[in-house]
Amino acid sequence: MTGLLAALPLIPLAGALVLLLGGRRTDAWGHLLGTVVAAASFVVAAVAFAQLLARPAADRSVGTVLYHWFSGGSLSVDLALRLDQLSVCFALLITGVGTLIHVYSIGYMASDPGRRRFFGYLNLFLGAMLVLVLADDLVVLYLGWEGVGLASYLLIGFWQHKPSAATAAKKAFVVNRVGDMGLALAVAVTLATFGSTGFGEFLPAAAAAEEGTVTWLGLLLLLAACAKSAQVPLQSWLGDAMEGPTPVSALIHAATMVTAGVYLIVRCGPVFEAAPVAQGFVLAVGAVTLLFGAVIGCAKDDIKKALAASTMSQIGYMVLAAGLGPAGYALAIAHLLAHGCFKAGLFLGAGSVMHGMDDETDMRRYGGLAKVMPVTAVTFGLGYLAIIGIPPLSGFYTKDSIIEAALGHGGFAGFLLGGAAILGAAITGFYMTRVMILTFFGAPRWRDGTHPHESPSVMTAPMVVLAVGSIAAGGLFVIGGRLTDFLAPAVGSAPEAHHAVPAWAVTAIVLGSVAVGVAVAVRTTRAVPLEAPSGVSAVTRAARRDLYGDAVNETVFMRPGRAATAGLATLEHRGVDGAVGLLPGGVRAASGGLRRWQTGFARSYALTMLAGTALLIGAAAVWVS
């Protein structure tokens, strides 16, 4: 079992090493190696999962130490991995969906000259994410966290010859550095407070720690999660990240990067449970972001950016659930796993549409594609039904469960959180229906010379598999509390549910809200003009500009930061450097003055001696008298 655990991240990392260092000699078969490596890691994860299930429920946690990493003072860190109920869920998602995306990429990147390098980056992404979720220590998790950031930078900017792609990669990298500082400080606080960064040591001790310290620790962890999972206020990088190849978008949004923040919150649940203020911030961030992303999605004409906004919103639901504590941890993971299926399917479907439409991303140039791309239309349609929560597809079970738990949180806060989640479901119904109509229905609006066609089977086969997951995943996880019971030893048992509103009433309200959103979209969605009309509302203008996320970051953080940096530079130049220069400056001035007395003429020296003698005689005469 420990051998399987060690092999999980090492297999894709070894594949990345071969593909990135092998050079052009691996071009002919690099894509095949990358895909085989991903599939092998999935097989290992599946075998490890089966072996885990064979153990008693209380003993489903296996750890291994690969080697002693480093020591310093009282800190000693081993490169230790642990497979338990929580990490195995992520391992299966990362490797399973990752393998399907690798297969899809064989066809999508067939004509790209950098295909081998692309598959090397994909392998690196999988390996880094597996290190992150399998880490048994916060420092080791940080190693995987930074590896994911590096891989995302390389993949988003893969087509670096495009200025927009290079800029998007840098933006994602910089925004995530803000979150990384939060995680680095959290590591420092953990070590200073508990004397260890191992999950088995500091998490059980969190309840007994000083509340103020644990609150700061929780807020720092939340800051890290906001950056990786594109939550307010660090969400601005996600839409621009669509500049990367579409398989990258699917991998980031479904199985890797944006799920890391949710994993961090759930894994460090005892910290947030011991810090109600930090837990309240988690709830607020989730509720605000699920609405934030949904509103942005309504105004996007780029199909990938509309789906990116939906990811922001759906991750908001997961963060909201994680903020509910033990009552919501399993629900957050259930929605995360189901979302991994239908969001990967939606992004791969969008890539299939682009493949058949000469890389066109503007939905205003689509229309009527259901007739010429039937497999893409059906699989995308199933993902659409899943994300808006139509029974019996995945999103119906997972999202409704989160809304029920939010309403049961208690008091006015519960109704506020539940109301935000219901409103988000209605808006999701609107913008996803708009995407569906503009892309697959109505009159064709293709550019002259465009000949849409269905994608090859190497691309459609993964889409079909993910469509099956879109149908079945939610019910499989939620019905009968299967996932809740499975995860209980790792994340804690959920308390008895308190239903402020009967479950059947919640279902009716949510479905009614979604139906209203769908109906409004059907009624209002038309073939929109390529040039946006000038008379749009302020809300629409704001949504098209991502609710001014970049402007807010620039005004609140960038400009004051730049001004502070300029002020510090001036202080250093004029203050610190000036103070340091006083002594040599004084010596230089004094030496310059003394130098004027050194003329080199004997008569000048004689005159000086005579004047000095006269002064001495005069002083002596005054003193004697």
Side-chain angles (χ1 to χ4, degrees):
M1 185 68 171
T2 56
L4 292 175
L5 176 55
L8 260 175
L10 292 179
I11 290 174
L13 290 176
L17 191 66
V18 171
L19 293 176
L20 296 178
L21 298 183
R24 297 188 180 279
R25 292 170 294 181
T26 64
D27 281 352
W29 43 268
H31 58 290
L32 299 177
L33 175 64
T35 305
V36 169
V37 162
S41 62
F42 173 68
V43 171
V44 171
V47 173
F49 174 61
Q51 292 188 7
L52 211 62
L53 287 179
R55 291 169 168 258
D59 190 34
R60 289 174 179 168
S61 180
V62 180
T64 185
V65 175
L66 298 185
Y67 63 90
H68 179 68
W69 191 2
F70 65 87
S71 298
S74 61
L75 177 62
S76 178
V77 176
D78 294 325
L79 193 56
L81 305 179
R82 180 164 297 277
L83 188 72
D84 62 6
Q85 293 90 336
L86 179 61
S87 57
V88 77
C89 289
F90 278 84
L92 289 169
L93 175 69
I94 294 163
T95 57
V97 174
T99 298
L100 293 174
I101 291 172
H102 275 71
V103 173
Y104 177 94
S105 300
I106 293 175
Y108 191 87
M109 302 293 289
S111 60
D112 195 292
R115 180 168 65 168
R116 180 261 310 164
R117 179 167 52 90
F118 179 79
F119 276 82
Y121 293 161
L122 289 184
N123 279 184
L124 177 63
F125 212 157
L126 294 191
M129 190 67 190
L130 287 169
V131 170
L132 192 159
V133 300
L134 295 173
D136 196 26
D137 188 286
L138 201 56
V139 177
V140 181
L141 183 146
Y142 188 80
L143 174 66
W145 193 271
E146 291 297 333
V148 167
L150 170 63
S152 66
Y153 170 77
L154 294 172
L155 285 167
I156 294 170
F158 182 75
W159 288 325
Q160 68 269 22
H161 59 275
K162 297 167 52 180
S164 57
T167 301
K170 288 186 288 186
K171 182 177 182 180
F173 193 82
V174 170
V175 172
N176 274 276
R177 294 293 71 73
V178 177
D180 293 351
M181 284 301 300
L183 186 56
L185 291 173
V187 171
V189 171
T190 301
L191 180 62
T193 305
F194 304 103
S196 173
T197 54
F199 290 126
E201 286 76 37
F202 82 86
L203 290 179
E210 183 183 351
E211 183 174 329
T213 302
V214 182
T215 297
W216 278 110
L217 176 58
L219 292 176
L220 290 171
L221 292 171
L222 176 60
L223 177 65
C226 284
K228 273 290 186 287
S229 292
Q231 299 293 282
V232 172
L234 299 177
Q235 79 293 341
S236 61
W237 64 270
L238 191 64
D240 294 322
M242 298 304 98
E243 290 294 335
T246 300
V248 175
S249 305
L251 193 60
I252 289 176
H253 288 249
T256 53
M257 189 165 177
V258 296
T259 66
V262 180
Y263 171 80
L264 182 65
I265 294 173
V266 175
R267 175 61 78 188
C268 297
V271 172
F272 292 97
E273 293 164 36
V277 173
Q279 196 170 46
F281 271 95
V282 175
L283 290 169
V285 166
V288 169
T289 306
L290 73 88
L291 292 174
F292 204 95
V295 171
I296 291 174
C298 294
K300 294 299 181 183
D301 296 318
D302 185 308
I303 188 170
K304 290 175 66 177
K305 291 191 175 183
L307 295 178
S310 78
T311 297
M312 189 192 310
S313 180
Q314 296 304 307
I315 298 292
Y317 277 98
M318 301 171 206
V319 171
L320 171 61
L324 297 173
Y329 292 149
L331 302 180
I333 300 304
H335 193 53
L336 186 148
L337 296 174
H339 177 265
C341 293
F342 59 70
K343 181 50 62 68
L346 288 169
F347 265 110
L348 296 189
S352 179
V353 170
M354 293 167 57
H355 183 269
M357 291 289 293
D358 299 332
D359 290 328
E360 178 65 68
T361 62
D362 194 333
M363 294 183 291
R364 295 171 296 182
R365 293 288 192 182
Y366 293 166
L369 293 179
K371 295 180 180 179
V372 293
M373 305 181 71
V375 177
T376 300
V378 171
T379 54
F380 191 98
L382 289 172
Y384 152 74
L385 294 174
I387 196 172
I388 69 173
I390 299 300
L393 280 81
S394 296
F396 166 73
Y397 294 101
T398 57
K399 192 187 296 184
D400 276 26
S401 299
I402 293 174
I403 294 173
E404 288 179 27
L407 290 170
H409 186 58
F412 177 73
F415 280 98
L416 190 64
L417 296 171
I422 292 171
L423 178 59
I427 301 175
T428 302
F430 171 81
Y431 72 78
M432 285 305 303
T433 301
R434 177 177 177 270
V435 170
M436 194 73 189
I437 292 174
L438 287 177
T439 303
F440 294 104
F441 300 103
R445 301 180 299 279
W446 314 330
R447 295 180 186 273
D448 293 338
T450 301
H451 304 286
H453 55 85
E454 188 59 273
S455 299
S457 58
V458 72
M459 294 173 62
T460 57
M463 293 158 54
V464 171
V465 175
L466 291 167
V468 173
S470 300
I471 297 171
L476 179 65
F477 299 141
V478 174
I479 295 176
R482 293 185 182 90
L483 190 63
T484 300
D485 294 339
F486 176 72
L487 288 174
V491 302
S493 299
E496 184 177 352
H498 170 67
H499 295 290
V501 180
W504 64 266
V506 174
T507 299
I509 293 170
V510 174
L511 288 178
S513 301
V514 172
V516 170
V518 171
V520 172
V522 170
R523 182 176 179 82
T524 59
T525 300
R526 299 289 186 270
V528 291
L530 292 178
E531 295 297 330
S534 58
V536 297
S537 67
V539 174
T540 301
R541 288 196 300 272
R544 285 176 177 163
R545 296 186 60 183
D546 296 338
L547 296 182
Y548 303 111
D550 286 333
V552 170
N553 288 339
E554 182 177 343
T555 302
V556 176
F557 299 108
M558 190 276 287
R559 289 180 181 173
R562 186 168 59 184
T565 301
L568 290 173
T570 301
L571 175 63
E572 180 182 12
H573 178 66
R574 297 183 179 178
V576 178
D577 290 350
V580 171
L582 283 177
L583 179 59
V587 172
R588 184 169 57 249
S591 64
L594 291 172
R595 187 166 54 247
R596 295 176 183 175
W597 291 88
Q598 305 300 318
T599 63
F601 296 109
R603 60 180 179 272
S604 298
Y605 299 149
L607 181 61
T608 302
M609 293 171 64
L610 177 62
T613 302
L615 287 174
L616 289 173
I617 294 172
V622 172
W623 182 72
V624 170
S625 64

